[in-house]
Amino acid sequence: MTESSITGVLRVIPDGSVTTPEGFYAGAVYAGVKTYGDDKLDLGILYSDRPCHVAAVFTRNEVKGACVLVTMEHVADGRAQALVVNAGCANVCTGEQGLEDAREMARLAALRTGAAARDVLVCSTGVIGVPLPMDRIREGIARITLDPDGGRALARAIMTTDTRPKHIAMQFQHEGRTYAVGGIAKGSGMIHPDMATMFCFLTTDAPVAPAFLDATLRSVADRTFNMVSVDGDTSTSDTMAVLANGAAGGDPIDAGHGAAQLFQEALYGVSLHLAREIARDGEGASRLIEVRVYGAATKEEARRAARAVTVSPLVKTAVYGRDPNWGRVMMAVGRSGARVDVSRAVVRLGDVAVFVRGRPVPFDEEEVRAILGAPEVRIEVNLGVGSEGATAWGCDLTEAYVRINSEYTT
Amino acid sequence: MTESSITGVLRVIPDGSVTTPEGFYAGAVYAGVKTYGDDKLDLGILYSDRPCHVAAVFTRNEVKGACVLVTMEHVADGRAQALVVNAGCANVCTGEQGLEDAREMARLAALRTGAAARDVLVCSTGVIGVPLPMDRIREGIARITLDPDGGRALARAIMTTDTRPKHIAMQFQHEGRTYAVGGIAKGSGMIHPDMATMFCFLTTDAPVAPAFLDATLRSVADRTFNMVSVDGDTSTSDTMAVLANGAAGGDPIDAGHGAAQLFQEALYGVSLHLAREIARDGEGASRLIEVRVYGAATKEEARRAARAVTVSPLVKTAVYGRDPNWGRVMMAVGRSGARVDVSRAVVRLGDVAVFVRGRPVPFDEEEVRAILGAPEVRIEVNLGVGSEGATAWGCDLTEAYVRINSEYTT
């Protein structure tokens, strides 16, 4: 964890996950929906032993999966108790049958857990346009057993082309109570979230009030997952949800509560970690790219400029090739729509300034090649027109991305 | 030539180029600016033996090359007589020195041709952020000799990562006179034009009136180059210009002239051919992808949806892998911002309907794989909400794109 926002009062639990907060259980099985990859878990359930407040954000893609449509209905009352998820088939563009299948998944998970079907979130990820193999889903859900340590198995069960599971938890204390926030997430292609990414599930045992939970989730999504891009494509299944079950006790946490800021920081810290992990594990990626834009006229222009750099295939291939071709960074910033004053702009690769106030600066090419070859590459751009900033994350573009996406149906 | 818009009254001259129209001359040399590729010509001049009306469109990238800024000044009076161009160095982000170098290139070309310096267009393409090697430019321009058949050499001299030169001409007749329209263009990366692409130079000996010339160029750019994408990145040097010298004689051609429509069709036909060739020769591309969107609510939404499909790396890799994964097409359309009614949408790969009115349709996978393996792949999407349409062109994404852009500085 290198994120500077995580202070000493937040304790990071690297092995933590969605079952670190009290009262949460999870389990996963291999049902045979996902037919590729080494890690064969592909179906799981997350469950709270008491009802939760829920907040969620979903893909803005006009084409939404059946599970997204059903989950939007189920979270509308702000209450949830379980989540059922499969990997390998996204149940998108599957017509009326798809909606019926998503509803049946909720009913099956309700039967298995004792939650009400309308309190079950349903999530599916994988190939588009293929009906869910409901016989396998039915048989699989019947085999799921819930475990208070089951969160990491669930993190594996939501993976598609991800090369490793993504999970973390953080704890903070307030007036003698310990609260936890846990999360799991998955990538790793079709990642250019517009509202939320393809699956980030968060839990907390803090008694967070509904309106504050919703506001915090939206703010965190905008600063984390909505600033990640692997390939510029926005999934039809993006779902980011947080369940707060209050099991740790105490008064409801709203904006005026003494633990409000700690909860915000914990939710931000967990989400930031998971968002960066998704970028780092982008399909075929060998490097995480962090782009910091400042000197922008508006916050929105800073965000657009930062994302334009992370999306640019020419920047991504240059980083892959360790090519200090910073001109491509200026090209990407220039096409983002953000205002730029080239005569005042600055570009840094790592800590090395390569373009300062309109002029190329001589630099040690070997030094910059080493910077571009590190596991994390930072690119900074001062647009020279204002004082707003934003940070975005992406990854390099390698031959492996092409192979992964041309060689089999995902 | 398969474009249906080209009717029998337009004669295609496949070997034609910008020197096919009367009164145009061109020449090119190797000056040593471009240090890669087999075809070493890298510096050239286009010249008309009499002053021309000129119309031009330029990149909308906020970061514009010095040559673009100088050329914008030089075409402001609607008059031009020559064009000087180099490949290998874009002269972008080079500060005041860059502007001085671009102006000196214009002066050198003026000395060589006899045109006034303010009537010379200056174009540079290649790496960003490196000053022009003016000693080589000076020495090279002094060696250029102009030839009435020099257009194809000029088409070679503007290539960077292009694998082949792109040139064509068309002729039409009106009231006993023969008029010609010729063009050359180059790609092949950083291609997602927003106003014009990185170099399309057009000439005609028709006496086209300035306002009609400008209106026709803009209309043609929107239907051709502005619908092409290789990698979603917008160059800082995009320039599309047409020179009309009137050498073929006759009355000025404006919108009310009997040859107006023929001229429009010829300029469209030449530009469409060159735009498609740029997509087909996209960096690393093995196939041309044509995306036709219809049933859109507005023309603008049709354009956005069609471009979103051509830009999607997941669609591009699926075509490369001959994977009939049409769900990625719906994903791309859905993220474009265009309205879609999934329950009425239709997707066709070639002539095979794979998704009809909200439902996947069984299809012969081998047949569709063969369609996706052809040199030209057509994808059609009916958005199911209106009656507007648009066509866009792109190419598949292969490992070679990554290699080209990671292995050396372009």
Side-chain angles (χ1 to χ4, degrees), chain B residues 59-81:
Chain B
T59 181
R60 279 188 184 149
N61 195 308
E62 276 276 309
V63 177
K64 290 180 172 65
C67 54
V68 170
L69 299 172
V70 168
T71 298
M72 289 173 95
E73 292 171 14
H74 288 194
V75 301
D77 62 358
R79 183 189 136 111
Q81 193 167 359

Side-chain angles (χ1 to χ4, degrees), chain B residues 171-372:
Chain B
Q171 286 181 334
F172 61 94
Q173 298 193 325
H174 181 72
E175 293 185 350
R177 292 182 198 275
T178 299
Y179 296 102
V181 174
I184 61 175
K186 59 89 57 188
S188 61
M190 212 178 274
I191 298 294
H192 184 79
D194 188 7
M195 197 58 181
T197 196
M198 191 174 202
F199 296 177
C200 171
F201 304 138
L202 304 163
T203 57
T204 182
D205 47 21
V208 187
F212 184 61
L213 188 67
D214 190 68
T216 304
L217 182 71
R218 286 171 197 280
S219 163
V220 165
D222 273 348
R223 286 179 293 152
T224 58
F225 287 99
N226 282 352
M227 295 304 281
V228 167
S229 188
V230 166
D231 52 15
D233 274 336
T234 303
S235 159
T236 49
S237 307
D238 287 353
T239 299
M240 180 182 188
V242 56
L243 296 170
N245 69 2
D251 294 330
I253 299 178
D254 59 16
H257 190 280
Q261 194 184 7
L262 281 169
F263 172 70
Q264 287 173 324
E265 286 298 318
L267 200 75
Y268 175 62
V270 166
S271 299
L272 181 64
H273 171 81
L274 294 172
R276 286 170 55 99
E277 288 305 300
I278 281 180
R280 192 193 310 276
D281 192 26
E283 284 177 340
S286 70
R287 264 155 242 162
L288 173 71
I289 303 176
E290 177 170 290
V291 177
R292 297 185 191 167
V293 165
Y294 52 107
T298 68
K299 190 83 183 164
E300 180 54 29
E301 290 185 22
R303 292 169 62 90
R304 289 178 66 169
R307 294 203 83 179
V309 177
T310 62
V311 166
S312 164
L314 290 169
V315 172
K316 291 157 69 80
T317 48
V319 170
Y320 172 50
R322 307 181 190 200
D323 177 0
N325 196 344
W326 57 266
R328 294 178 177 177
V329 174
M330 284 300 290
M331 174 279 301
V333 159
R335 74 170 288 264
S336 71
R339 281 163 284 182
V340 191
D341 182 344
V342 178
S343 72
R344 293 166 51 86
V346 178
V347 177
R348 274 191 186 79
L349 303 177
D351 293 327
V352 178
V354 291
F355 182 66
V356 177
R357 295 179 68 83
R359 294 223 177 99
V361 177
F363 55 85
D364 180 336
E365 190 159 324
E366 280 314 303
E367 180 188 3
V368 175
R369 282 190 185 275
I371 287 169
L372 296 176

Side-chain angles (χ1 to χ4, degrees), chain A residues 89-216:
Chain A
C89 174
N91 191 14
V92 176
C93 289
T94 44
E96 270 303 315
Q97 187 62 48
L99 285 169
E100 285 172 27
D101 291 346
R103 293 204 174 91
E104 184 180 350
M105 268 181 79
R107 284 197 304 275
L108 293 166
L111 278 172
R112 188 78 193 148
T113 61
R118 66 171 184 283
D119 289 338
V120 178
L121 284 56
V122 184
C123 299
S124 296
T125 175
V127 63
I128 297 173
V130 174
L132 272 179
M134 285 307 292
D135 49 345
R136 296 181 188 192
I137 298 281
R138 286 182 202 106
E139 180 273 337
I141 289 178
R143 281 192 287 119
I144 293 174
T145 56
L146 297 172
D147 188 304
D149 284 326
R152 280 178 292 167
L154 191 66
R156 288 165 51 203
I158 63 178
M159 290 163 59
T160 48
T161 51
D162 304 69
T163 65
R164 47 189 180 267
K166 298 158 187 78
H167 56 84
I168 195 170
M170 291 192 190
Q171 286 181 333
F172 61 94
Q173 298 196 325
H174 182 73
E175 294 183 352
R177 292 182 198 276
T178 298
Y179 296 103
V181 174
I184 61 174
K186 59 90 57 188
S188 61
M190 213 179 274
I191 299 294
H192 184 80
D194 190 7
M195 195 58 179
T197 195
M198 189 172 203
F199 295 178
C200 172
F201 305 137
L202 304 163
T203 58
T204 182
D205 47 20
V208 187
F212 185 61
L213 188 66
D214 190 68
T216 304

